[in-house]
């Protein structure tokens, strides 16, 4: 935490999705790959510890401001809907994790609808919506178990939002979806608009 | 004491001095730390901020579910040797949360009184936020890419 200078940019991203869709695995994928580009001496273990379902990243200086991001996995169980609402209310961006298995399609759609309700409750300006990126998990499973990404796109109403596929256990697509949502919310924070290219 | 913005130092110093608090943490409603005093490990600060924000978010949601017209306000845990005061307060920057840990040398009433004064001092001292968003310098997307490559590994572009 800096003590003066330009106001730091502290960002909060919630990882939303159905129960057992891969939210915590995505966070663990991020956590486990931290420091892959640094020597151990630059990556103190304490800074990267993952004591709860959240991960903190120090992004360094972005656009002239010290930037950090906290990622929280919201409970996937419907019984915790109130908790999910609270977390989405305080978020700067959302990563929606959809389970790629065909048998989980209905669960994904239910979670997407719940997210839509929570986003509507925030009362954001429709012209300036909260950035959401989609991650289709478990793409490493046998193809006969999976639903095509295009089907998920349609079912979840992805539209023009960023969408990545991958396998969080092996880290595939993890950095990409994080970068996609961070880019959107930094554009939003900069006043350039999430949709501006 | 560490503060994100210098104008916070004076109100927080006053709260600590007058209430004899041992530890203090000021955070946004989503748990982002704004100021702290007394914590020695960054991990503790982040965990306490997340847990404190979670407690208040939970009580606010509980209030909504049971039909309370307002939030329940402060939450106090009074242990044998020390207590915790946790309360939201409104600022020109939005709703913030204060968490104060106090011992036998202080009391709930004392903390409450000086916490209210602290909240009022913050409202007065906070610069008016007429610009809701501060522009980031050009090139921030490249810097984000470089930062994530440094964190996760990967060849620079």
């Amino acid at each position: 935490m800096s003590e003066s200078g330009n106001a730091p940019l502290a960002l909060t991203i919630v990882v939303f999705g159905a129960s057992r869709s891969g939210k915590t695995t995505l966070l663990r994928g991020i956590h486990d790959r931290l420091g892959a580009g640094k020597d151990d001496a630059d990556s103190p273990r304490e800074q990267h510890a993952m004591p709860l379902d959240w991960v903190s990243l120090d992004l360094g200086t972005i656009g002239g401001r010290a930037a950090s991001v906290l990622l929280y996995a919201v409970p996937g169980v419907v019984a915790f809907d109130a908790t999910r609402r609270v977390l989405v209310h305080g978020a700067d961006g959302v990563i929606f994790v959809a389970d790629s298995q065909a048998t989980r399609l209905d669960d994904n759609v239910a979670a997407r609808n719940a997210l839509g309700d929570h986003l509507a409750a925030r009362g954001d300006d429709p012209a300036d919506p909260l950035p959401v990126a989609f991650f289709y998990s478990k793409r490493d499973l046998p193809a006969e178990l999976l639903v095509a990404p295009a089907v998920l796109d349609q079912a979840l109403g992805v539209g023009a939002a960023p969408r990545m596929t991958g396998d969080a256990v092996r880290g595939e697509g993890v950095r990409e979806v994080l970068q996609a949502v961070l880019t959107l919310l930094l554009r939003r924070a900069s006043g350039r608009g999430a949709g501006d290219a | 004491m560490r503060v994100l913005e210098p104008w916070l130092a004076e109100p927080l110093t006053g709260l600590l001095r007058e209430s004899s608090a041992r530890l203090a943490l000021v955070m946004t409603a989503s748990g982002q730390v704004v100021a702290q005093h007394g914590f020695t490990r960054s991990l503790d600060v982040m965990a306490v901020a997340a847990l404190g924000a979670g407690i208040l978010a939970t009580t606010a949601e509980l209030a909504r579910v049971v039909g309370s017209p307002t939030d329940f306000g402060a939450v106090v845990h009074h242990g044998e040797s020390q207590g915790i005061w946790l309360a939201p307060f409104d600022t020109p920057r939005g709703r913030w949360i204060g968490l104060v840990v106090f011992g036998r040398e202080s009391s709930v009433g004392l903390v409450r009184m000086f916490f209210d004064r602290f909240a009022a001092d913050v409202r007065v001292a906070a610069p008016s936020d007429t610009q809701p968003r501060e522009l980031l310098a050009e090139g921030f997307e490249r810097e984000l890419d470089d930062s994530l490559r440094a964190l996760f590994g990967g060849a620079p572009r």
Side-chain angles (χ1 to χ4, degrees):
Chain A
M1 185 166 54
S2 68
E3 299 188 19
S4 62
N6 290 342
L9 198 59
L11 305 166
T12 302
I13 295 173
V14 300
V15 181
F16 201 100
S19 179
R20 301 190 310 280
S21 59
K23 301 179 298 299
T24 303
T25 307
L26 179 76
L27 281 191
R28 209 165 284 282
I30 292 170
H31 169 260
D32 290 348
R33 279 153 189 82
L34 285 177
K38 290 184 174 182
D39 295 335
D40 286 343
D42 293 330
S43 308
R45 181 68 190 165
E46 179 184 279
Q47 184 181 347
H48 297 151
M50 187 177 165
L52 302 168
D53 276 356
W54 53 268
V55 171
S56 172
L57 300 179
D58 180 355
L59 299 175
T61 301
I62 305 287
R65 299 170 67 181
S68 61
V69 59
L70 274 173
L71 292 106
Y72 293 93
V74 306
V77 180
V78 175
F80 293 106
D81 195 53
T83 305
R84 303 197 299 193
R85 181 207 310 268
V86 167
L87 285 167
V88 171
H89 190 77
D92 298 305
V94 175
I95 296 175
F96 184 91
V97 178
D99 191 322
S100 293
Q101 297 178 90
T103 55
R104 300 298 311 279
L105 184 59
D106 289 346
D107 294 332
N108 290 328
V109 170
R112 177 67 180 91
N113 291 338
L115 175 62
D117 291 343
H118 297 325
L119 293 175
R122 285 171 51 104
D124 289 321
D125 180 352
D128 186 25
L130 191 75
V132 179
F134 291 80
F135 181 74
Y136 298 168
S137 63
K138 307 182 185 177
R139 300 307 298 185
D140 59 314
L141 293 176
E144 60 270 24
L145 298 179
L146 303 179
V147 65
V151 174
L152 276 172
D153 290 347
Q154 179 80 21
L156 302 178
V158 171
R163 182 265 284 163
M164 276 73 187
T165 60
D167 166 21
V169 174
R170 284 189 256 181
E172 294 171 3
V174 167
R175 185 177 77 84
E176 289 77 7
V177 74
L178 179 62
Q179 182 157 357
V181 73
L182 280 171
T183 300
L184 286 181
L185 66 88
L186 286 172
R187 283 182 192 164
R188 190 173 190 249
S190 74
R192 289 173 171 85
D196 298 346
Chain B
M1 186 198 319
R2 305 194 75 182
V3 295
L4 274 185
E5 299 180 49
W7 58 266
L8 265 170
E10 191 172 333
L12 186 57
T13 300
L15 170 66
L16 294 166
R17 184 184 60 242
E18 302 295 346
S19 70
S20 301
R22 295 178 179 179
L23 305 172
L25 195 60
V26 183
M27 66 197 103
T28 67
S30 58
Q32 302 285 350
V33 177
V34 178
Q36 73 101 342
H37 166 79
F39 293 91
T40 54
R41 297 197 322 152
S42 60
L43 185 63
D44 290 342
V45 173
M46 292 185 335
V48 169
L51 294 169
I55 289 169
L56 275 193
T58 302
T59 57
E61 185 65 14
L62 192 58
R64 190 189 69 80
V65 170
V66 302
S68 174
T70 61
D71 292 352
F72 291 139
V75 176
V76 179
H77 294 280
H78 212 156
E80 190 160 322
S81 61
Q82 58 184 9
I84 297 175
W85 169 272
L86 180 65
F89 60 105
D90 291 317
T91 79
R93 302 289 178 88
R95 175 157 280 207
W96 283 3
I97 295 167
L99 185 151
V100 179
V101 178
F102 57 95
R104 288 178 175 164
E105 64 276 16
S106 187
S107 69
V108 176
L110 202 61
V111 170
R112 175 178 185 159
M113 182 171 75
F114 287 106
F115 185 85
D116 289 346
R117 183 178 296 178
F118 163 74
D121 289 347
V122 167
R123 280 189 284 274
V124 171
S128 61
D129 224 359
T130 53
Q131 288 185 313
R133 290 177 181 175
E134 293 184 50
L135 287 179
L136 295 172
E138 292 291 338
F140 67 85
E141 291 185 35
R142 174 60 187 262
E143 290 173 352
L144 172 64
D145 188 57
D146 291 345
S147 174
L148 291 177
R149 284 177 189 279
L151 283 169
F152 290 91
R157 282 179 180 169

